[in-house]
Amino acid sequence: MDTRRILIVDDEPYICEVARLCLEAATDWTVLTAESGMACLEMVGQQQPDVILMDVMMPGLDGLSTIQQLQANPKTQAIPVILLTAGGTEGDRPTLYGVKATIAKPFDPLALSAQIVTILGWPREN
Amino acid sequence: MKILVVEDDELTARALEGILSHQNYAVEIATSAQSAWELVEIFDYDLVLLDVVLPGMDGVALCRRMRSHQYSMPIMLVTAKDDSHDKALGLDAGADDYVTKPFNSEELMARIRALLRRATPAAIPKLEWGKLCLDPEACEVYYDDRLLPLTPKEYALLELLMRNPRRVFSCGMVIEHLWAYDDTPGEDAVRTHIKCVRQKMKKGGAPSNLIETVYGIGYRLRPLKRQGVDVVIEVEQQTRSAIANIWQQFQPRIEGQLVQIELATAALVQHQLSAELHQTAKRNCHSLKGALGMFGLPQGSAIAGELERQWASLKLLELEPWDAEFCAKLQQNLVLLRQEVAENLSENLSENLSDNLSDWATSNSPSELKTEQPLLLIVDAEISQLKGLKLEADRWNLRISHVTSLAMARQQLRQEQVQAKDLILPDAMLPNAILFDPAIAHSEYMGLKFLQELTTAQPLLPVFVWTTHRSLEQRLAISQHGGRRFLDKLTDPSQVMRAVSQALRALEPTEGRVLVVDDDPIILIALRQLLEPWGLHVEILPDPRQFLETLERTDPDLLILDLKMPHITGIELCQIVRNDERWSNLPILCLTAQTDPDLVGRVFAAGAD
């Protein structure tokens, strides 16, 4: 069984819920969610996800600052991060901070897991 | 309905068989407890009529044995002795009722009917979640047909999760459900129980993460997976349907975001936009842009994106008067966005109704939709106290939407008519009441014409004419065009919301009808005063002789009967009702000042609930 763990960080609860639903329907991954950058930092060390999907524009600690914090910690710096971005005012940030790739919001819920698998080069399930 | 009669005296047995078959019950007779036990093990009976005194094993012992083997059908004891000790013994052994020999056949039948009415529908269904199966009757849980050795608390925990699959339970919620109020343990206790259940599941061959932790929230059953290519389409469809449910679930939040944007727009038009409101509007546009497409609304995302761009281009610090064209575009986009959202809501609803995906719909109870706050549409060029109104509206559980031109108001209302025709559930857009300032129009004539259209097209929609005009002439003109409710613009916001709420409440359909029969007018009036605030329609009848006509006319959902009345007693009325097929399921509540057990017994025997 595929025991990968994925952490979704987004301040909009409905984004988290849709992403969780789609990933759980399509895969065996364990889906964790956090609704703020702080919540992400609090849980990430203990949970050790295989990948983090990070919203950029969040109140409080925004996505990019959160990634900086992750990078600064040896325990978490190796975790790949995929940015979730709706573009526009937040701009298209370059792949700074070891960000693997960007998934544009609104994402296609049914294609989300395939997108992640492709980005990370994970072996596909049968 | 099948009844087992256990009676060793042949004469009594035959008499019972005669009475019961006459009422169309299927009857079987056993002459000893042993033969009765053998029958019970083979056949399903709806009720057992059991003589206490039997050769060999007696009735009370048989009763106990049946209950200890999970037989749950109603059991009525027949006893020759009018001995309270015997009766108590029988009831403690699990019997539901008793009659004393010699019995009155009418009373016996009434008691049997009452028992059968009270009996729960045959079998309690088992709960299944993948290979996990919970049998509520035996209080057992199996994984892949292997019994899991659970403690009562562990069983209760699993039952809670399985009865509410997909729902996340926090430790606090688990404690609330599983422990008595005066016995609440700490949250650690819940974690320990979860851990034990997981371990036992693992030993039973189940994956240990069958109960999953939702970080920072609580626990739930891990959603089921399907495998194989042939179910991909089905999974997709279910996923879509589940996304539609999330959309429904988060409707209030999305509505809130739209209202925030509308508030900022209104403030902008009035040159009162604060930096904070500006930020909020931008942020909400951004959120909607990123989300709507995910819910199947790419157009909505695009409009939200355009709105976000517009808001971002607005430089607050450059204190130029914002031109009308800019505001108009912003408002136009906002209306478009509203339409997109409203359309999706109705589409999703109809889709959900047609889809047969009941297990996916559990997380979304329809009651959430019904309790949605009513929408007050304000049609006014500018409102000096919008913020105050908004605050008050929250307090009165109302939502506010604000349009600044007749054209926009028409647009919203037209849409409503289309949807009303298609009989789609009320959506977030649909105004439940309107505050309308006729001065919004270019001419008085246009304003009055709109008012007339509105009140003719929808006579039930409360429309408040919201004005500062106080001349008699103007008021007359307004009322000639259908204006029936006036509110002065200087009215305190809380008064405004009170008036709107009252008008809305007057429109609410009454939910239940209660018929009260009592010869005491004071009781009748008191009951009416007591029940009507709960939205019940109360019909009162002081003279029981007119009972049948009144019952037929009112067709109540509940009947309340006084027991002691002149001419006809409550018990007699009760029997009349129960003897009529049409009213056999009507709940009956009897009022009496007496608590004499014999009387209470007679009341139940007559068919009262």
Side-chain angles (χ1 to χ4, degrees):
Chain A
M1 199 168 92
D2 193 342
T3 56
R4 292 180 204 274
R5 307 160 71 78
I6 180 159
L7 171 61
I8 299 158
V9 188
D10 198 311
D11 61 312
E12 274 308 341
Y14 44 71
I15 302 263
C16 289
E17 276 308 302
V18 171
R20 170 204 295 288
L21 180 108
C22 299
L23 295 179
E24 285 185 345
T27 71
D28 277 328
W29 304 341
T30 302
V31 181
L32 309 157
T33 60
E35 292 197 0
S36 70
M38 280 314 289
C40 162
L41 293 178
E42 274 167 28
M43 65 193 283
V44 74
Q46 189 193 346
Q47 296 289 330
Q48 285 294 321
D50 295 287
V51 60
I52 301 176
L53 251 63
M54 177 84 68
D55 183 27
V56 177
M57 204 158 122
M58 290 186 287
L61 197 62
D62 70 18
L64 298 178
S65 314
T66 310
I67 294 169
Q68 269 179 321
Q69 299 275 331
L70 290 170
Q71 290 293 308
N73 185 339
K75 267 189 179 167
T76 55
Q77 62 182 0
I79 303 172
V81 178
I82 298 174
L83 277 187
L84 274 178
T85 159
T89 47
E90 72 202 13
D92 271 329
R93 302 296 174 118
T95 50
L96 276 176
Y97 313 116
V99 170
K100 275 278 186 187
T102 299
I103 292 180
K105 280 205 281 190
F107 54 80
D108 174 358
L110 296 175
L112 185 61
S113 64
Q115 257 178 306
I116 295 170
V117 165
T118 310
I119 289 169
L120 298 172
W122 285 353
R124 279 173 194 277
E125 283 180 86
N126 42 11
Chain B
M1 288 284 182
K2 211 156 130 191
I3 297 182
L4 176 66
V5 175
V6 191
E7 172 65 71
D8 59 331
D9 179 66
E10 206 188 341
L11 212 62
T12 317
R14 292 293 155 223
L16 281 171
E17 188 182 18
I19 299 168
L20 292 168
S21 344
H22 188 65
Q23 302 286 328
N24 290 328
Y25 292 111
V27 183
E28 243 165 296
I29 294 176
T31 52
S32 73
Q34 191 51 45
S35 57
W37 174 247
E38 282 162 15
L39 285 170
V40 163
E41 280 195 304
I42 302 167
F43 302 107
D44 288 329
Y45 293 98
D46 298 296
L47 185 138
V48 178
L49 201 57
L50 183 55
D51 195 352
V52 174
V53 185
L54 292 167
M57 190 201 307
D58 70 4
V60 174
L62 175 61
C63 188
R64 199 174 293 124
R65 185 167 184 180
M66 282 165 66
R67 290 301 188 230
S68 69
H69 284 75
Q70 319 296 335
Y71 290 103
S72 59
M73 74 285 264
I75 299 177
M76 164 121 54
L77 292 179
V78 183
T79 151
K81 301 172 265 185
D82 196 7
D83 182 345
S84 295
H85 176 69
D86 239 16
K87 287 173 191 163
L89 218 68
L91 293 174
D92 279 345
D96 299 285
D97 202 355
Y98 56 85
V99 285
T100 315
K101 275 198 254 184
F103 43 79
N104 167 291
S105 63
E106 210 183 326
E107 187 195 355
L108 177 69
M109 289 318 303
R111 280 176 185 266
I112 286 177
R113 279 197 296 272
L115 275 186
L116 288 174
R117 263 204 308 281
R118 259 179 273 161
T120 44
I124 310 167
K126 290 182 181 164
L127 303 175
E128 284 182 13
W129 188 254
K131 289 179 181 169
L132 197 63
C133 173
L134 182 144
D135 180 354
E137 279 183 278
C139 294
E140 283 171 346
V141 181
Y142 293 84
Y143 184 81
D144 209 4
D145 289 335
R146 248 172 300 177
L147 178 68
L148 303 181
L150 301 174
T151 67
K153 271 282 178 292
E154 290 163 2
Y155 169 84
L157 179 65
L158 214 45
E159 184 179 22
L160 179 69
L161 295 175
M162 289 182 76
R163 284 205 185 280
N164 306 276
R166 304 179 50 74
R167 184 165 160 204
V168 183
F169 286 89
S170 67
C171 286
M173 285 155 83
V174 171
I175 290 172
E176 216 170 274
H177 278 93
L178 264 54
W179 274 272
Y181 179 71
D182 51 2
D183 182 31
T184 44
E187 300 197 342
D188 278 344
V190 176
R191 284 186 208 108
T192 312
H193 282 295
I194 292 269
K195 211 168 132 190
C196 291
V197 175
R198 281 179 176 159
Q199 279 168 354
K200 287 180 181 176
M201 282 183 159
K202 207 173 169 186
K203 272 187 196 153
S208 58
N209 62 350
L210 207 58
I211 300 177
E212 73 172 7
T213 308
V214 182
Y215 191 86
I217 307 177
Y219 304 97
R220 69 164 176 188
L221 289 178
R222 184 171 160 73
L224 295 175
K225 302 291 165 329
R226 286 148 190 269
Q227 273 151 21
V229 187
D230 54 333
V231 291
V232 164
I233 291 169
E234 194 189 343
V235 168
E236 269 190 16
Q237 211 173 16
Q238 285 178 338
T239 309
R240 271 185 224 285
S241 174
I243 291 172
N245 279 333
I246 294 179
W247 168 254
Q248 290 290 340
Q249 198 184 327
F250 283 97
Q251 200 51 49
R253 186 177 172 93
I254 287 169
E255 173 60 26
Q257 291 178 324
L258 284 170
V259 169
Q260 297 265 21
I261 303 170
E262 282 167 346
L263 278 177
T265 312
L268 174 70
V269 171
Q270 294 163 52
H271 302 231
Q272 285 174 358
L273 185 69
S274 66
E276 196 191 336
L277 265 179
H278 185 207
Q279 272 306 322
T280 313
K282 263 199 296 190
R283 199 177 57 237
N284 284 315
C285 289
H286 184 81
S287 278
L288 290 174
K289 172 172 81 167
L292 292 174
M294 197 172 70
F295 291 112
L297 274 179
Q299 193 60 30
S301 268
I303 301 168
E306 174 64 17
L307 273 170
E308 184 194 12
R309 202 191 51 71
Q310 283 176 315
W311 279 107
S313 73
L314 191 69
K315 296 282 181 288
L316 257 194
L317 295 175
E318 297 168 14
L319 291 168
E320 294 163 16
W322 299 300
D323 61 282
E325 200 186 330
F326 179 84
C327 290
K329 264 192 197 156
L330 207 62
Q331 287 172 330
Q332 204 180 353
N333 276 330
L334 198 51
V335 170
L336 287 174
L337 185 60
R338 271 265 180 213
Q339 279 175 354
E340 276 290 314
V341 170
E343 268 165 33
N344 194 41
L345 187 60
S346 50
E347 267 172 32
N348 270 331
L349 274 179
S350 44
E351 233 171 64
N352 277 359
L353 291 176
S354 63
D355 278 356
N356 183 20
L357 293 158
S358 53
D359 53 338
W360 284 83
T362 45
S363 62
N364 177 38
S365 72
S367 63
E368 280 171 12
L369 278 174
K370 277 186 204 150
T371 56
E372 198 164 83
Q373 298 169 325
L375 179 67
L376 172 65
L377 176 66
I378 304 182
V379 188
D380 193 352
E382 52 178 324
I383 310 172
S384 52
Q385 40 182 350
L386 189 66
K387 218 170 181 174
L389 284 170
K390 174 86 186 85
L391 274 176
E392 267 312 309
D394 271 350
R395 237 166 51 77
W396 287 88
N397 217 10
L398 295 163
R399 290 176 298 134
I400 284 189
S401 150
H402 176 215
V403 292
T404 50
S405 75
L406 271 192
M408 285 164 72
R410 278 217 170 83
Q411 210 163 357
Q412 266 205 19
L413 289 160
R414 216 182 352 257
Q415 182 183 354
E416 175 200 346
Q417 280 166 12
V418 172
Q419 288 179 348
K421 223 189 305 168
D422 296 341
L423 264 183
I424 286 161
L425 293 173
D427 64 62
M429 281 287 289
L430 211 124
N432 303 83
I434 295 181
L435 270 188
F436 170 62
D437 180 8
I440 194 175
H442 295 300
S443 69
E444 196 185 340
Y445 169 74
M446 292 290 284
L448 291 174
K449 191 164 165 271
F450 177 78
L451 179 65
Q452 192 161 29
E453 278 171 26
L454 200 60
T455 48
T456 352
Q458 301 186 57
L460 282 178
L461 183 70
V463 180
F464 291 86
V465 179
W466 167 246
T467 165
T468 43
H469 300 305
R470 285 186 232 187
S471 87
L472 189 62
E473 255 171 61
Q474 280 161 327
R475 287 224 165 184
L476 189 63
I478 289 170
S479 63
Q480 278 167 349
H481 288 81
R484 292 288 174 269
R485 297 179 164 98
F486 291 86
L487 274 174
D488 195 292
K489 274 201 173 176
L490 300 174
T491 312
D492 183 61
S494 76
Q495 295 298 323
V496 173
M497 293 307 153
R498 180 190 301 274
V500 172
S501 295
Q502 274 173 356
L504 287 174
R505 210 167 321 135
L507 284 176
E508 278 171 16
T510 47
E511 299 234 319
R513 285 181 308 276
V514 181
L515 173 60
V516 188
V517 190
D518 196 320
D519 59 321
D520 183 348
I522 295 175
I523 300 259
L524 287 178
I525 290 163
L527 276 175
R528 178 172 264 179
Q529 281 173 351
L530 201 65
L531 297 177
E532 278 185 344
W534 296 92
L536 294 166
H537 178 82
V538 180
E539 189 82 20
I540 52 178
L541 175 65
D543 184 352
R545 283 173 297 182
Q546 293 158 15
F547 177 68
L548 268 188
E549 301 90 287
T550 317
L551 183 66
E552 271 173 28
R553 181 169 53 78
T554 50
D555 186 19
D557 303 297
L558 173 71
L559 184 59
I560 301 182
L561 298 175
D562 183 20
L563 283 188
K564 231 173 154 185
M565 288 184 290
H567 311 296
I568 310 175
T569 68
I571 291 189
E572 285 164 330
L573 288 183
C574 211
Q575 282 163 340
I576 292 171
V577 173
R578 284 294 177 243
N579 288 340
D580 190 320
E581 187 62 29
R582 284 173 297 170
W583 316 113
S584 56
N585 286 323
L586 174 64
I588 304 179
L589 185 67
C590 288
L591 291 182
T592 168
Q594 292 170 310
T595 50
D596 162 27
D598 188 46
L599 178 72
V600 175
R602 283 201 292 137
V603 168
F604 281 117
D609 298 288

